[in-house]
Amino acid sequence: YPRSMSSPTSAPESEEGASSTSTGPANASPLPITSISDVFSYKSLVHAIAGATGGVSAISVFFPLNTARIRIQVASSEDAKSLLQTIRDAIEDDGFLSLYQGWKSAVLAIGASNFVYFYTYNLLKLAYRNKTGRKNLSVRANLVIASLAGIVNVLLTSPIWTVNTRLVVQRKKVGLLGT
């Protein structure tokens, strides 16, 4: 394990803010990507799982707001209502659990989306460091890498989000875990 993970009292590894005079894992010379095990690194996997977990937690807590937002977006202009009125109408018409319609597909979508983004971001960051030999990313490099990771994410996960939107706007009574 990296030093930052071996002890709860050790300072976290800072990749972007590391000083050039400090020592330790943050300043170790980057190793070239030479095998499939470099692509599927422990560090990239941890970042991807953390991103997916954070996204799943957030979508689970705020899913009723997402459902109301989607219903407002697909409503005709004369049927559009406020957020609170949309939530009240959904509960009256279809029951409280209708606010969670499409929840499973949303959890799958956000989990997959965040996993792909964070994994791709860390992989591209590693490739950049290997190519340039720089330990820290410039603002420009960080923006380019983050943008490329976002593009890969959208290309790979858009079909899941499309299915999720369709499931959310279907008007039928379902259980909390039903989609």
Side-chain angles (χ1 to χ4, degrees), residues 4-22:
S4 64
M5 296 182 72
S6 62
S7 168
T9 59
S10 63
E13 180 181 350
S14 174
E15 297 167 350
E16 281 73 30
S19 158
S20 60
T21 60
S22 65

Side-chain angles (χ1 to χ4, degrees), residues 22-122:
S22 65
T23 60
N27 288 324
S29 177
L31 300 173
I33 298 176
T34 58
S35 70
I36 195 78
S37 64
D38 293 333
V39 174
F40 297 107
S41 71
Y42 174 77
K43 185 176 181 180
S44 291
L45 184 64
V46 167
H47 283 277
I49 290 171
T53 302
V56 165
S57 299
I59 199 77
S60 294
V61 171
F62 295 106
F63 195 75
L65 295 176
N66 188 54
T67 301
R69 177 189 58 84
I70 291 172
R71 286 186 177 201
I72 290 168
Q73 286 177 333
V74 300
S76 62
S77 59
E78 58 269 357
D79 292 336
K81 298 174 185 153
S82 71
L83 180 67
L84 288 176
Q85 190 58 48
T86 301
I87 291 172
R88 283 187 200 121
D89 288 352
I91 293 171
E92 280 180 22
D93 297 343
D94 303 318
F96 177 77
L97 293 180
S98 70
L99 295 174
Y100 288 91
Q101 188 166 331
W103 177 79
K104 280 195 311 188
S105 64
V107 166
L108 173 66
I110 196 73
S113 184
N114 281 8
F115 186 92
V116 167
Y117 174 81
F118 284 101
Y119 198 89
T120 304
Y121 175 79
N122 280 289

